[in-house]
Amino acid sequence: MNSGIDSNKGMTKGKTKWKEFLEVVSTLQWVSSFLFLGVACTLLMFYLMFTSLWPIPTLYFVWLVVDWQTPERGGMKTTFVRNWRVWDHLRDFFPIKLVKTAELNPNKNYILGIHPHGIMCVGAFTCFSTESCGFKELFPGLISNLVTLAGVFKLPLFREYAMSTGLLPVSKKSLTHLLTNRGKGNAVVIVIGGAAESLASAPGVNILVMRQRKGFVRVALEFGADLVPVYAFGENNLFKQVVLSEGSLGRRLQELCKKIMGFAPCLFVGEYIGILPYRNPITSVVGSPISVPKHINATEEEVDHFHKLYMEALSKLFHEHKVSCGLSESHELRIL
C-alpha cells in the first residue's frame, strides 16, 4: 500500500497579514453561506414580490418551475465557480489536504463515502466541490460531485449557487443520472452519516453513524459502482458543540427537526464571533476501491456483505492513517 500521495497546492509557510485576512474572510463567507444564504435568498425573493421590482422574482419563479428537475439531471456545474480563489483561501485557513492511497480507474464509476459529517462538511465540500485541493490532478479522468439534501435545491437563487459548485441532491433520480446517463469516470461523494452524525461531532471524537445506513450500498450494487471509503481527519475539531443527552428536551427537538427538515440544528461555537472555525487541519484520505458487481435486484445478504466489507475497509483506513493525521495510536473509531 502507498504511504500516501497528497496535494499540497498552496500550502505555504509564513503567511502575511493580508493573506491571513483573506483566509478569515473567505472562511466566514463559506460559513455564512452554509448557515444563512439559503434563507436570505428566499426572503429576498419574496420581499421583492411586494415592491416595484416584482417582475424580477416573478420571472425567476417561472424559470424555477421550468428548471425544477435540473438538479436531478446533473445540475449546472461551472469550472469558473469551482476555481474561485476564495476556495484556495478557505483551504489554506485550516489547512485542508486531500490524500490519495490508491488509483481509481477513470473507466469506472464510484461512490465515495466520506466520514465524519462534522458540523459543516468543510472537508467534503473543499475537496470534492472545488478544485482547490487538486482532485483532478490526483485522480485524472474522474469528475467529482458531492451530493446533499434535496431540500437545498428548492431554495431560490441558492440552488443555482449550489449547483455551480457541482453540488447535487442525494435523491435516487439524481444518483441514477450520475451513474448511468453520464457514462464512466464519475465519483459521487456521499456524506453517509448525515444529520444524525453531526449531532455527535465534537473535538477529539470519532463517532460514525452507519451500521443501519445501507442505501448507498444498494445503489452501488444496482449500478455496479465501486465503493471507496474516505476519512476526513480533523473534521470534528473545527467547532465545539454542546452535545445534548439522549431523551432531553433539546435533543428531542433536534431529532424532530431532523425528521421534518432533514437536518439537525447543532449548538456549536468557534473562534472570535463564534462562527469562525478553529484553525485545525483537515486531511481527507481516499482509500482503496471495493469492487462491486452490478446486481439490479440485490438480496439483503448481498447488501449486508458489501456493507460489512465497506465498514472493515473504512476502519482499516482510519487506523492506518490516524497517527500521521495527528491522532494517537490508542485512538479508536466508534461506529453506531
Side-chain angles (χ1 to χ4, degrees):
M1 176 167 177
N2 280 340
S3 59
I5 306 170
D6 61 65
S7 60
N8 289 310
K9 259 170 79 174
M11 304 298 181
T12 58
K13 298 178 180 179
K15 299 173 183 177
T16 65
K17 291 293 184 181
W18 178 244
K19 170 62 175 170
E20 290 182 356
F21 172 76
L22 290 175
E23 290 176 7
V24 169
V25 170
S26 299
T27 304
L28 283 175
Q29 175 274 146
W30 154 248
V31 173
S32 300
S33 297
F34 184 95
L35 295 175
F36 310 121
L37 187 58
V39 173
C41 288
T42 303
L43 292 176
L44 174 64
M45 294 303 282
F46 280 104
Y47 167 75
L48 291 177
M49 288 291 293
F50 300 96
T51 70
S52 59
L53 298 175
W54 64 266
I56 295 176
T58 300
L59 288 173
Y60 176 81
F61 285 126
V62 171
W63 157 254
L64 188 62
V65 172
V66 174
D67 193 58
W68 193 251
Q69 299 299 323
T70 294
E72 294 186 327
R73 296 172 180 167
M76 46 193 291
K77 178 170 65 176
T78 68
T79 55
F80 170 69
V81 175
R82 286 173 66 102
N83 281 295
W84 275 354
R85 283 296 306 277
V86 68
W87 309 132
D88 292 344
H89 297 310
L90 173 65
R91 174 202 65 206
D92 294 343
F93 175 85
F94 298 96
I96 300 170
K97 183 166 62 173
L98 183 63
V99 175
K100 169 183 177 180
T101 65
E103 296 294 335
L104 297 183
N105 187 343
N107 294 316
K108 303 190 75 172
N109 285 332
Y110 300 91
I111 292 179
L112 278 64
I114 185 166
H115 316 261
H117 182 286
I119 299 294
M120 297 185 187
C121 305
V122 180
F125 176 83
T126 309
C127 290
F128 301 109
S129 268
T130 80
E131 304 300 342
S132 64
C133 291
F135 179 86
K136 288 197 304 184
E137 289 77 18
L138 290 176
F139 302 101
L142 288 184
I143 299 172
S144 64
N145 283 101
L146 179 63
V147 292
T148 187
L149 292 173
V152 167
F153 304 92
K154 295 178 173 60
L155 301 174
L157 297 181
F158 186 71
R159 68 193 289 272
E160 280 76 26
Y161 175 59
M163 282 191 288
S164 68
T165 68
L167 279 172
L168 294 173
V170 70
S171 65
K172 182 62 182 296
K173 283 185 179 179
S174 176
L175 296 176
T176 299
H177 177 89
L178 290 170
L179 296 172
T180 57
N181 296 356
R182 295 209 316 192
K184 302 299 181 182
N186 298 293
V188 180
V189 185
I190 304 176
V191 186
I192 306 296
E197 198 169 86
S198 68
L199 294 177
S201 175
V205 172
N206 289 281
I207 297 176
L208 307 183
V209 178
M210 66 167 300
R211 287 199 185 276
Q212 303 305 317
R213 301 199 169 210
K214 302 177 183 180
F216 72 103
V217 178
R218 290 190 179 90
V219 172
L221 282 162
E222 182 176 348
F223 299 106
D226 287 359
L227 291 167
V228 182
V230 183
Y231 202 91
F233 291 91
E235 183 70 48
N236 283 348
N237 296 335
L238 307 186
F239 296 97
K240 295 177 182 177
Q241 180 182 190
V242 178
V243 179
L244 302 176
S245 59
E246 294 290 341
S248 66
L249 176 60
R251 187 56 173 250
R252 291 202 301 271
L253 290 174
Q254 287 178 321
E255 294 292 344
L256 179 63
C257 187
K258 176 165 67 74
K259 185 176 181 180
I260 295 173
M261 295 186 289
F263 70 91
C266 300
L267 302 175
F268 66 89
V269 64
E271 289 188 293
Y272 302 120
I273 59 175
I275 64 172
L276 186 69
Y278 290 100
R279 281 183 183 262
N280 290 319
I282 302 173
T283 304
S284 297
V285 183
V286 181
S288 300
I290 301 166
S291 182
V292 177
K294 184 174 182 178
H295 288 176
I296 296 177
N297 297 306
T299 64
E300 285 301 314
E301 290 74 18
E302 289 175 314
V303 172
D304 289 344
H305 171 71
F306 284 99
H307 185 257
K308 182 181 178 183
L309 288 181
Y310 180 88
M311 287 197 298
E312 290 172 349
L314 177 61
S315 181
K316 180 182 178 184
L317 181 73
F318 175 84
H319 289 293
E320 286 183 346
H321 293 272
K322 62 183 180 182
V323 174
S324 64
C325 293
L327 299 179
S328 66
E329 188 64 52
S330 61
H331 217 102
E332 293 300 321
L333 178 67
R334 185 180 171 197
I335 300 179
L336 304 178

